Amino acid sequence: MVLLTWISEIAAEPLVLDPADRRVEREINTWSLGAADEDRASLSVAEVVAAFERSAAAVRERIRDLGFSGVATFYVWHDEQAGQLRCSTSSVPPDALPFSGTYMASDDLGPVVEGFLADSEPGFIAWSDRDAAQSRSMQTRTEPNIMPFAVWVTSVGASY
């Protein structure tokens, strides 16, 4: 259960909250987590969700101990292209996370974890999926419709 160990270690890793330098926040606070096939097969969604909830609670306590009085958000998403779960902490509200793509903030981590655990070929995108999207795009003469990806968010700052 290496994944659960890595998730628990996030709470003790270096943490930077600097609203004036979001690049540093992103570099220091963002973690990429993979899982071996054995972990994917043996872990339940509930176990992984509980591990992230414990880590978020520990990060919340650390932020309070640091005396940071601003907004901070802990968030988790499934990076399908990389085949990883990723998480980070940022001094922004849930509607201002540092993503270039469209995302949908959610308070339900289950679907994010479920998608990750069910990914039988992490980081692999079938050519047939790409070809189908391109074919639809050419038929409608528009850009492909990119669906927003789900991001679990929880407040860990002193203010909301």
Side-chain angles (χ1 to χ4, degrees):
M1 309 283 180
V2 175
L3 180 62
L4 298 180
T5 300
W6 287 342
I7 293 169
S8 69
E9 290 174 352
I10 290 166
E13 292 294 329
L15 178 67
V16 173
L17 293 172
D18 185 354
D21 197 344
R22 300 270 163 63
R23 181 190 57 78
V24 170
E25 281 186 354
R26 198 170 43 252
E27 288 175 9
I28 301 294
N29 301 343
T30 302
W31 299 97
S32 301
L33 306 166
D37 291 341
E38 302 82 41
D39 267 5
R40 287 178 191 271
S42 64
L43 288 171
S44 72
V45 170
E47 289 173 304
V48 177
V49 166
F52 272 117
E53 288 173 340
R54 285 189 300 272
S55 285
V59 167
R60 184 177 299 112
E61 288 302 313
R62 283 185 64 197
I63 289 171
R64 288 189 180 133
D65 291 346
L66 291 171
F68 182 78
S69 60
V71 172
T73 303
F74 181 84
Y75 54 104
V76 178
W77 71 101
H78 176 203
D79 182 335
E80 292 183 40
Q81 290 179 321
Q84 300 171 330
L85 278 175
R86 297 199 179 182
C87 64
S88 192
T89 305
S90 187
S91 60
V92 296
D95 63 351
L97 298 177
F99 291 113
S100 58
T102 305
Y103 67 94
M104 180 177 49
S106 172
D107 61 357
D108 185 1
L109 180 54
V112 173
V113 171
E114 184 176 9
F116 171 75
L117 292 177
D119 190 351
S120 62
E121 296 184 72
F124 177 78
I125 299 173
W127 279 109
S128 60
D129 292 343
R130 291 177 48 135
D131 291 344
Q134 184 177 17
S135 175
R136 286 190 303 273
S137 174
M138 291 176 74
Q139 289 172 352
T140 61
R141 303 245 187 252
T142 63
E143 291 297 315
N145 185 17
I146 306 296
M147 298 298 292
F149 59 96
V151 179
W152 177 68
V153 299
T154 187
S155 175
V156 292
S159 63
Y160 298 87

